[in-house]
Amino acid sequence: MSSSVAVYPGSFDPLTNGHVDIILRGAEVFDRLVVLIAVNRSKNALFDIEERISLINEVFADYPNITVDSFEGLLVDYLKDNSIPVIIRGLRAVSDFEYEFQMALMNRKINPHVETFFMAAGESYSYVSSRIVKEVFSLGACVEGLAPQPVIEAMRKKFGT
Ligand code: PNS
């Protein structure tokens, strides 16, 4: 019997509870969900790839159908190499739509066998992004409830707080 697999790609620098919400709901729809970290050497990252992999593995340790991987290069090449047909992306607000739609169409142009499935973000997380969580945390705000506990602990270590 064939099983359904999807990837949820992103930077995850770091994983937020908005991501966690999409991942858990995605993993109920698909038999297997790969959280796929994009290696982007031009971005100034807070966490390196190994740290991000380890944090995501820790958060989803109790979910055998959620796995983590990383890739460099084109997302559609990863999908082809791993025979995965579906990309999941979360939409927080209308402002996300233009960029996400452009990416979905470009990915389909490069590889017509790939489909992008959009999931509406949980309403409590519609304002949450990795960038804003890092920024407010670094300036001393409490981010409890916005990122998983292991991520908050790791940020405390990074920022020495
Ligand atoms: O979390 P992000 O930063 O919004 O994720 C964007 C990501 C990593 C999914 C996107 O930039 C991507 O797929 N990068 C890999 C390179 C690629 O395939 N680019 C073409 C996309 S049309």
Side-chain angles (χ1 to χ4, degrees):
M1 209 167 72
S2 74
S3 62
S4 60
V5 190
V7 300
Y8 178 50
S11 304
F12 305 108
D13 183 41
L15 183 77
T16 69
N17 279 348
H19 296 131
V20 171
D21 171 62
I22 297 280
I23 293 166
L24 292 178
R25 286 192 287 125
E28 296 218 343
V29 176
F30 292 90
D31 295 323
R32 190 162 71 85
L33 185 75
V34 182
V35 181
L36 188 58
I37 306 171
V39 178
N40 184 344
R41 296 188 191 278
S42 60
K43 264 194 187 174
N44 219 345
L46 177 62
F47 293 101
D48 66 30
I49 297 295
E50 285 68 34
E51 289 171 321
R52 283 180 254 172
I53 289 177
S54 146
L55 283 169
I56 295 170
N57 270 329
E58 185 177 346
V59 171
F60 298 105
D62 294 336
Y63 296 85
N65 71 327
I66 299 173
T67 58
V68 189
D69 200 0
S70 65
F71 77 107
E72 193 163 3
L74 280 176
L75 174 59
V76 290
D77 285 346
Y78 178 94
L79 292 168
K80 192 173 168 209
D81 294 347
N82 292 277
S83 306
I84 299 177
V86 176
I87 298 166
I88 292 179
R89 292 286 287 174
L91 287 179
R92 288 166 300 192
V94 178
S95 51
D96 279 342
F97 181 76
E98 201 173 332
Y99 170 61
E100 293 297 335
F101 195 58
Q102 186 183 26
M103 273 206 303
L105 293 182
M106 181 54 86
N107 282 330
R108 198 170 66 201
K109 168 82 181 153
I110 308 171
N111 181 347
H113 303 294
V114 161
E115 284 297 344
T116 301
F117 287 15
F118 293 115
M119 290 179 62
E123 54 274 27
S124 346
Y125 305 114
S126 59
Y127 62 97
V128 176
S129 71
S130 299
R131 185 190 61 76
I132 209 162
V133 165
K134 276 186 291 197
E135 182 175 316
V136 298
F137 184 88
S138 72
L139 296 171
C142 172
V143 295
E144 294 292 327
L146 303 183
Q149 214 50 45
V151 169
I152 295 178
E153 288 306 320
M155 284 199 296
R156 279 200 185 112
K157 282 191 191 133
K158 285 274 174 202
F159 292 109
T161 53

